[in-house]
Amino acid sequence: WPVDVALARLGLRIARVLAGSDPCHATPCLRAYEQARRSRPTVEIRPAKRTDGAPSVDVERAGRHPDGDALVICDLDTPFADDGVSGAAKGQLNILVHRQQAPLASGAFLGMVERKHFDRNFVFRSVDNFIVQWGIESPGPKTKGKFAKVGIDPPGSPPRANSRGSLNFAGGRSASGQVYVNRVDNNHLDREPGARPFATLDEKSMSIIDSIHSYKEGMGQVKAVNKGEDEVRSQFPMMSRIEKCWIEDDR
């Protein structure tokens, strides 16, 4: 802070010089100001260590500007569909995460991407004219357990809405690690606590979302996912899966 004080004093004196009320010659004052500015210490930003077991977002990898948007790309496939099945969902999902609008939820989501939580996640819930949902880890060595619950971001102005292509945590709770994408405008979800989306998908990605096969709810999809891939292959061969997610860049 001493350097900042010196900068402020020099800046004030330069202003007086330009106004003709200070005897200091403009050139020496400007040189002194520039020298003081260059001597200011740089601050290295590092992610804070969490004490609650929740993932920390790596600032360098998850975006150099914490207030900017980040692009997450997810590869989606329908791995057990027969080769001859036409229309099986497959492609890349472009998810634009709005960190400035919802810093708490977006930070939690990016941390999960960093931890590879969503890799090889089955889209266990797919409801026509409603949503698709994923985030349950299948049994295996990569299972990380539960996530910490973050606070609720302000709704924004204008308030963020559950419109087509928006993404949010299921039930507005990050602790579950589950996210959903709105296939249509679901404004009735806006009334739920924490149910304000923090990311959006473009229309090309939504065409892939629309092609995901929908099974009737309550047929044992979650139970199958919890048992593992063999059970999913046997009972729900048209169930799609998020193969891999990564942070592409920040905007």
Side-chain angles (χ1 to χ4, degrees):
W1 64 269
V3 175
D4 291 336
V5 173
L7 282 170
R9 289 175 177 173
L10 280 169
L12 179 61
R13 194 170 187 190
I14 290 171
R16 290 174 178 171
V17 169
L18 296 176
S21 60
D22 193 293
C24 174
H25 190 272
T27 299
C29 282
L30 287 171
R31 288 175 179 171
Y33 180 83
E34 181 64 19
Q35 183 179 4
R37 186 185 67 81
R38 290 178 178 177
S39 66
R40 296 182 73 180
T42 58
V43 179
E44 182 180 4
I45 300 177
R46 294 182 179 273
K49 293 183 178 180
R50 299 292 297 266
T51 58
D52 55 7
S56 298
V57 177
D58 189 326
V59 176
E60 288 299 313
R61 296 177 65 188
R64 300 178 188 279
H65 305 287
D67 289 338
D69 290 343
L71 177 63
V72 171
I73 297 180
C74 295
D75 283 336
L76 182 141
D77 196 7
T78 308
F80 307 135
D82 294 333
D83 294 338
V85 175
S86 62
K90 184 175 183 178
Q92 285 191 340
L93 306 179
N94 296 319
I95 304 173
L96 193 60
V97 183
H98 307 297
R99 289 182 292 185
Q100 187 173 18
Q101 298 179 24
L104 298 177
S106 61
F109 176 76
L110 291 171
M112 293 175 189
V113 174
E114 286 290 310
R115 288 180 59 175
K116 303 185 184 303
H117 162 63
F118 298 112
D119 291 6
R120 300 181 71 81
N121 267 201
F122 285 101
V123 183
F124 67 90
R125 189 182 185 194
S126 177
V127 184
D128 289 333
N129 298 314
F130 187 36
I131 65 169
V132 298
Q133 185 173 335
W134 68 85
I136 297 177
E137 294 184 351
S138 296
K142 84 177 189 75
T143 302
K144 304 296 190 305
K146 296 182 179 180
F147 294 91
K149 182 179 180 180
V150 299
I152 298 176
D153 291 297
S157 180
R160 301 181 305 281
N162 281 272
S163 55
R164 172 177 166 80
S166 58
L167 179 146
N168 192 25
F169 285 115
R173 299 184 302 106
S174 62
S176 69
Q178 298 178 30
V179 295
Y180 67 89
V181 175
N182 288 291
R183 279 177 153 168
V184 296
D185 294 342
N186 292 310
N187 297 330
H188 63 282
L189 296 178
D190 297 341
R191 297 190 294 268
E192 299 180 4
R196 297 291 181 174
F198 59 85
T200 51
L201 283 70
D202 57 24
E203 193 54 38
K204 182 179 180 180
S205 301
M206 287 306 298
S207 66
I208 299 171
I209 293 292
D210 290 339
S211 68
I212 294 175
H213 182 79
S214 294
Y215 284 102
K216 184 179 178 180
E217 290 196 275
M219 295 178 61
Q221 291 93 323
V222 173
K223 184 177 180 180
V225 171
N226 285 329
K227 285 187 175 181
E229 292 187 7
D230 290 342
E231 187 71 12
V232 173
R233 184 196 300 267
S234 172
Q235 300 297 323
F236 305 99
M238 289 298 293
M239 184 181 290
S240 295
R241 183 170 69 187
I242 301 294
E243 299 295 339
K244 182 180 180 181
C245 290
W246 67 93
I247 300 170
E248 180 71 7
D249 62 16
D250 43 311
R251 302 298 178 89

